[in-house]
Amino acid sequence: MSASDIGVIGLAVMGQNLALNLESRGYSVTVYNRTAERTEAFAESRTAGKRIHPTYDLESFVASLETPRKILMMVKAGEATDALMEQLLPLLDAGDVLVDGGNAHYADTERRLAQAHTCGILYLGAGISGGEAGALHGPAIMAGGCREAYIVVGPMLEAVAAQGVGGACCAFLGPASAGHYVKMVHNGIEYAIMQALAEAYDLMRRVLGMSGQGAAEVFAEWNRGPLASYLVEITASILRYSDEESGRPLVEMILDTAAQKGTGKWSSQSALDLGTPAPSIAAAVFARIVSSLKGERGEAEALLPGPEPAADVDRSELLDALRSATLLAVVIAYAQGMRQLRDASKERGYGLDLSEVARVWTAGCIIRSQLLTPIAEAFKAEPELPYLLLAEPFRTMWIDHHQGLRRTLARAHEAGIPVPVMSSSLNVADAYRTARLPANLLQAQRDFFGAHTYRRVDRAGSFHTEWESP
Ligand code: 6PG
């Protein structure tokens, strides 16, 4: 057996499909998984006639690779990655390239980068998006860390990536943890968009009494306009899918508690640390948290009454407003994510090109959508753009659609239906476009109880008032 071009460690869904994708692009691949059963099953079921070589211990895996070795780790983020690196690093030579393609926390990536560096290993933290199909046919790859590592392995990653606007949806985005940070914010945006679509579905179902099929048609129709995107498209397909056992739409048979693996939470935690306004991403994380309180919600439903359902709803008018609301919630999710990346880039020295980030997201990834092309153009024209809504065509979208978002929220609140992402999208946009907010009162309160001082609108300086003195 001649030496393989690249090695993949970790044969869960993403690892298997990336190995197959690499092979289909002409690379020979050695694979290894911690448990031999999985390697055997993969080798037997999916690799016949392909230049994919299974190995059953790390020494043979490493020995089978062309030097400098190129290794893609596709293992569970967290302890599993650390445990693997403990075993792997002593087997490698200076100049070998190690890529972590999992959803690692950015702080872990920085620690591992330093660990690899002490052994002369060229390390790359690469966020890979696109799920199973993306991994097999072309994901989006957000790489960061050691530039020399990208020079060696980048052509392979670009070969397997999706083709989007301006070429492969794979790029070296910056030093340190830039790649995993961008992927984390990608997932934050993913959470907000998914929740906004769920809110739209809930309003269709509970205010308009629409069936799964009816709602599917609306999402399919939206997918032909500015909302065209992977997530809207799969939402239409999901709503059409019928459960064989019950004959009902399968979505209705799924327990309403959303799980999460942590990337949306990390994105919000980092937004709070940076002081960047990303409330609808946080609202999406909290929405999943509330959904998980299934038992309590069931009890509260009987104890805390809401409004009676309204009878006089004009269906086409509400659907129109709902499309506006969904569009703006999606645009504002991107706006918040891009703002977070801008602020993080300054604080953490990533030097991100936001136009390039948006371009990498135009295909392959979960948040791919038609909107990403004008987003990339907006940041190309103005790299320091502070907020996406200020640039065309998004400013016009705001002007054309904010009334629809307001009408949707009024309907939702009237009906007692939670719309956390739609409503925080409007709140943050309304706050951003308000020259004078009531924060003057907050400052006065802080000064009242804590002598924290305030500044005045009419002269410079810092002031304190004895508020209770006669
Ligand atoms: C992607 C996805 C993926 C993510 C899953 C589940 O870009 O392909 O973001 O990386 O892990 O979608 O995430 P949650 O379990 O947190 O919903």
Side-chain angles (χ1 to χ4, degrees):
M1 179 183 107
S2 59
S4 290
D5 298 317
I6 187 163
V8 176
I9 302 180
L11 291 173
V13 172
M14 293 297 282
Q16 286 193 18
N17 287 295
L18 281 165
L20 290 165
N21 187 347
L22 281 159
E23 201 273 346
S24 76
R25 305 288 158 177
Y27 299 111
S28 53
V29 188
T30 295
V31 294
Y32 168 80
N33 191 74
R34 191 175 50 85
T35 55
E37 296 75 23
R38 194 182 283 248
T39 314
E40 276 161 13
F42 175 59
E44 275 166 27
S45 62
R46 301 187 75 186
T47 65
K50 298 190 192 316
R51 294 200 301 156
I52 296 184
H53 312 294
T55 52
Y56 295 91
D57 59 83
L58 272 179
E59 287 75 10
S60 323
F61 170 84
V62 168
S64 78
L65 299 174
E66 181 78 58
T67 53
R69 301 177 184 89
K70 294 155 226 58
I71 297 171
L72 176 58
M73 297 189 289
M74 293 304 304
V75 300
K76 214 162 172 240
E79 281 169 18
T81 311
D82 285 324
L84 172 62
M85 281 181 67
E86 280 297 315
Q87 286 182 280
L88 188 60
L89 287 178
L91 305 176
L92 301 181
D93 295 315
D96 287 347
V97 173
L98 191 55
V99 182
D100 177 7
N103 274 332
H105 189 284
Y106 61 93
D108 287 342
T109 297
E110 289 181 14
R111 178 173 50 76
R112 290 173 191 142
L113 195 62
Q115 186 190 2
H117 186 72
T118 57
C119 316
I121 305 302
L122 311 180
Y123 193 82
L124 214 54
I128 303 184
S129 176
E132 188 174 356
L136 184 59
H137 302 296
I141 305 178
M142 294 143 255
C146 172
R147 190 181 281 278
E148 292 95 305
Y150 193 80
I151 292 168
V152 178
V153 82
M156 289 178 157
L157 299 178
E158 289 175 16
V160 297
Q163 288 294 314
V165 172
C169 287
C170 172
F172 181 80
L173 296 172
S177 54
H180 277 140
Y181 195 95
V182 169
K183 174 60 170 49
M184 175 188 78
V185 173
H186 164 287
N187 282 27
I189 298 170
E190 173 185 300
Y191 274 47
I193 297 176
M194 289 167 71
Q195 176 64 27
L197 299 178
E199 291 168 15
Y201 154 70
D202 208 15
L203 288 165
M204 289 180 209
R205 195 171 63 95
R206 293 207 278 158
V207 176
L208 296 174
M210 291 173 72
S211 64
Q213 188 61 36
E217 278 160 27
V218 174
F219 281 105
E221 166 64 28
W222 290 357
N223 200 40
R224 291 190 278 275
L227 270 166
S229 59
Y230 173 70
L231 284 169
V232 171
E233 181 190 328
I234 66 163
T235 302
S237 306
I238 288 165
L239 291 169
R240 267 192 214 111
Y241 198 96
S242 166
D243 176 33
E244 275 179 18
E245 281 169 48
S246 64
R248 312 232 327 250
L250 179 57
V251 71
E252 284 176 19
M253 306 306 292
I254 296 179
L255 193 72
D256 54 326
T257 58
Q260 50 179 321
K261 296 204 196 73
T263 46
K265 179 184 79 177
W266 299 340
S267 189
S268 294
Q269 285 172 329
S270 173
L272 289 169
D273 287 340
L274 285 168
T276 199
S280 66
I281 293 175
V285 179
F286 284 122
R288 291 196 190 191
I289 292 171
V290 176
S291 82
S292 72
L293 308 177
K294 176 75 177 164
E296 283 176 59
R297 288 192 286 115
E299 284 167 26
E301 184 170 297
L303 297 170
L304 303 173
E308 292 299 317
D312 59 332
V313 185
D314 180 325
R315 182 180 168 124
S316 79
E317 201 234 46
L318 181 56
L319 283 179
D320 208 40
L322 196 50
R323 187 168 42 113
S324 292
T326 309
L327 178 62
L328 282 186
V330 170
V331 168
I332 291 168
Y334 286 123
Q336 291 171 60
M338 297 314 271
R339 173 60 183 242
Q340 179 166 347
L341 290 178
R342 174 185 183 264
D343 292 349
S345 181
K346 283 194 182 133
E347 170 105 359
R348 310 181 63 81
Y350 291 146
L352 292 177
D353 172 346
L354 295 183
S355 168
E356 181 66 351
V357 170
R359 188 196 67 73
V360 166
W361 290 347
T362 56
C365 69
I366 302 296
I367 62 168
R368 64 185 183 262
S369 77
Q370 232 171 54
L371 290 166
L372 280 159
T373 304
I375 294 175
E377 283 161 6
F379 283 101
K380 182 133 219 134
E382 196 182 340
E384 288 298 315
L385 179 66
Y387 209 62
L388 187 64
L389 284 183
L390 299 173
E392 292 299 347
F394 304 103
R395 185 172 161 269
T396 301
M397 281 183 193
W398 166 261
I399 293 167
D400 292 346
H401 295 285
H402 74 100
Q403 295 291 9
L405 174 55
R406 292 178 203 286
R407 282 199 300 277
T408 301
L409 294 185
R411 271 286 176 212
H413 293 320
E414 235 169 54
I417 293 173
V419 278
V421 163
M422 287 187 183
S423 120
S424 62
S425 304
L426 181 63
N427 279 328
V428 73
D430 272 342
Y432 189 72
R433 54 166 210 88
T434 298
R436 184 157 169 86
L437 288 168
N440 48 336
L441 179 59
L442 303 180
Q443 285 297 83
Q445 290 162 336
R446 292 177 69 245
D447 190 56
F448 188 113
F449 61 68
H452 294 297
T453 74
Y454 55 86
R455 288 182 297 155
R456 294 180 58 97
V457 294
D458 53 355
R459 56 185 197 272
S462 181
F463 299 88
H464 169 60
T465 297
E466 290 301 324
W467 294 89
E468 284 186 301
S469 61

